[in-house]
Amino acid sequence: MDLHLTDDQRLLRDSVREFAEREIRPHVMAWDEAQHFPMSLLPKLADLGLMGIQFPEALGGSGMSAVDYCLCIEELARVDPAIALSVAAHNGLAAAHIHMFGSEAQQREFLVPLATGQVLGAWGLTEPTAGSDAAGTRTVARRDEDGWVIDGAKTFITHGNIAGVLVAMAVTDRSRGNRGISAFVLPAGTPGMRAGRKENKLGMRASETSEVIFEHCRVPAGALLGEAGQGFINTLQVLDAGRIGIAALSVGLAQGAYDAARAYALQREQFGQPIASFQGIRWKLADLATKIAAARLLTYRAAALKDAGVRTTRESSMAKLYASEVAVRAAEECVQIHGGYGFVKDYPAEKYFRDVKLLTIGEGTSEVQRLVIARQLLA
């Protein structure tokens, strides 16, 4: 770890690492093949404080910092990126949106069960026709005498079929463009809200992804999360922080792939010697170690700035962009160093390779990150 950590942070890192090795690693491939998030893991994650990492203790959270959050996500991702993704989406999107913009009553009703791991959270922004262009949202919420009626659909929603709480964006005033989108918080079982198709994914298969469909879904006035018309603006603020989590996940996956490649290179022999003795392999490992160290420093710098109260739009996007692309490279080289064994499921290389590509897509593609960074640089 190329960072200066406090004694408490080292203890946290080691505790999460030991937990991941003990409770997650033995089941990685079984959970992947089942394409199902292991709900039996939820109370164990909660006992370690990982379902409410950055939220106040008064609301059931662990009261940790953004740097601490990165340590947790990185260590989970080193062992199983899919589980890390579920923890990051729960903490960094659904629960974070409620914490940042919810009323006191909403935080008591919804954030407490999320932070204590009683339920999983889901966050509904993406739609079939609104991905990178989130302002193209078609889901609508119309006022009625008692509250709102929501109609539409969301796609690629992490935990969309198993969440206990959903935060969803909907258009409340089409004439106002971006400033006509509002956020709503809904408990599972709300009439008119249901899960649609569950996606059969390339990777991250233990983190479930599905559609969420709204058909004349009636919610009370108190379901409005934050101010009417501010949902899109608030979403951008949530994503600033969420992208730090994806960057940490990328660093963890890259580190896991590097560790697997290094271990294999040291034990695999060709021509009477370990392949780690060959310059071609040694340079691959040297390049990966350097890039991972750089990605880690970018990520933790963004987290430290967040802890200092600085707006991190540029730094979050830089960390997410660079770390995710380094992770892709690390996963690719892990397969290459394993050779034919990197293409079979008996070794971890092929799963890192399948999992990693989502990281350059989710929470803003690499192309979107470059647009965000350029806009910040040229503003």
Side-chain angles (χ1 to χ4, degrees), residues 35-173:
Q35 298 193 66
H36 181 64
F37 179 82
M39 294 301 287
S40 61
L41 188 65
L42 197 56
K44 297 177 182 179
L45 289 165
D47 285 345
L48 202 58
L50 298 181
M51 301 312 290
I53 298 173
Q54 296 184 78
F55 308 121
E57 294 180 10
L59 293 171
S62 302
M64 298 189 209
S65 68
V67 170
D68 296 336
Y69 177 69
C70 288
L71 289 169
C72 295
I73 298 300
E74 179 181 342
E75 290 302 325
L76 293 175
R78 192 178 63 85
V79 172
D80 190 349
I83 298 302
L85 178 65
S86 278
V87 173
H90 169 94
N91 276 275
L93 296 177
H97 199 136
I98 296 169
H99 181 238
M100 291 170 70
F101 303 108
S103 66
E104 183 177 341
Q106 287 170 330
Q107 294 191 41
R108 292 288 178 189
E109 181 178 0
F110 298 110
L111 184 56
V112 170
L114 288 169
T116 55
Q118 299 172 49
V119 296
L120 279 171
W123 195 71
L125 175 64
T126 303
E127 298 185 3
T129 58
S132 297
D133 179 18
T137 298
R138 292 290 175 264
T139 298
V140 298
R142 303 183 308 276
R143 290 187 185 272
D144 73 357
E145 64 275 11
D146 300 319
W148 302 85
V149 178
I150 305 175
D151 285 284
K154 300 292 180 179
T155 192
F156 300 139
I157 306 306
T158 302
H159 310 144
N161 58 329
I162 57 174
V165 175
L166 170 73
V167 174
M169 270 46 73
V171 176
T172 50
D173 187 346

Side-chain angles (χ1 to χ4, degrees), residues 136-320:
T137 298
R138 292 290 175 264
T139 298
V140 298
R142 303 183 308 276
R143 290 187 185 272
D144 73 357
E145 64 275 11
D146 300 319
W148 302 85
V149 178
I150 305 175
D151 285 284
K154 300 292 180 179
T155 192
F156 300 139
I157 306 306
T158 302
H159 310 144
N161 58 329
I162 57 174
V165 175
L166 170 73
V167 174
M169 270 46 73
V171 176
T172 50
D173 187 346
R174 183 75 63 190
S175 68
R176 299 192 64 203
N178 290 350
R179 295 188 179 275
I181 297 174
S182 303
F184 296 86
V185 56
L186 302 86
T190 298
M193 180 180 73
R194 62 180 176 86
R197 182 186 65 183
K198 178 181 172 180
E199 302 294 346
N200 185 3
K201 299 186 297 183
L202 168 70
M204 301 287 194
R205 288 157 66 91
S207 181
E208 297 189 49
T209 304
S210 76
E211 299 173 321
V212 177
I213 298 170
F214 304 95
E215 296 174 322
H216 205 65
C217 177
R218 191 179 299 275
V219 298
L224 181 67
L225 182 59
E227 297 180 24
Q230 290 294 302
F232 182 73
I233 306 302
N234 294 347
T235 288
L236 297 180
Q237 295 171 267
V238 171
L239 286 172
D240 279 352
R243 286 167 179 160
I244 297 175
I246 299 301
L249 201 164
S250 300
V251 171
L253 189 155
Q255 186 68 55
Y258 168 84
D259 290 345
R262 180 181 180 276
Y264 184 81
L266 287 168
Q267 64 91 22
R268 171 67 167 169
E269 291 193 359
Q270 292 285 272
F271 307 104
Q273 56 188 312
I275 63 172
S277 65
F278 301 130
Q279 186 181 69
I281 301 298
R282 295 167 79 91
W283 282 12
K284 287 181 185 294
L285 294 173
D287 285 347
L288 287 182
T290 302
K291 292 178 185 296
I292 292 167
R296 180 176 287 117
L297 290 171
L298 268 178
T299 299
Y300 283 84
R301 174 175 176 265
L305 289 171
K306 180 177 182 293
D307 284 333
V310 177
R311 183 74 181 267
T312 63
T313 301
R314 181 180 65 181
E315 290 77 12
S316 296
S317 285
M318 284 181 169
K320 198 268 187 187

Side-chain angles (χ1 to χ4, degrees), residues 11 33 81 151 177 215 223 255 305 329 350 355 360-361 377:
L11 178 60
E33 291 171 4
D151 285 284
E215 296 174 322
Q255 186 68 55
L305 289 171
R329 182 66 173 170
E350 70 87 30
D355 285 348
T360 64
I361 298 170
L377 293 174

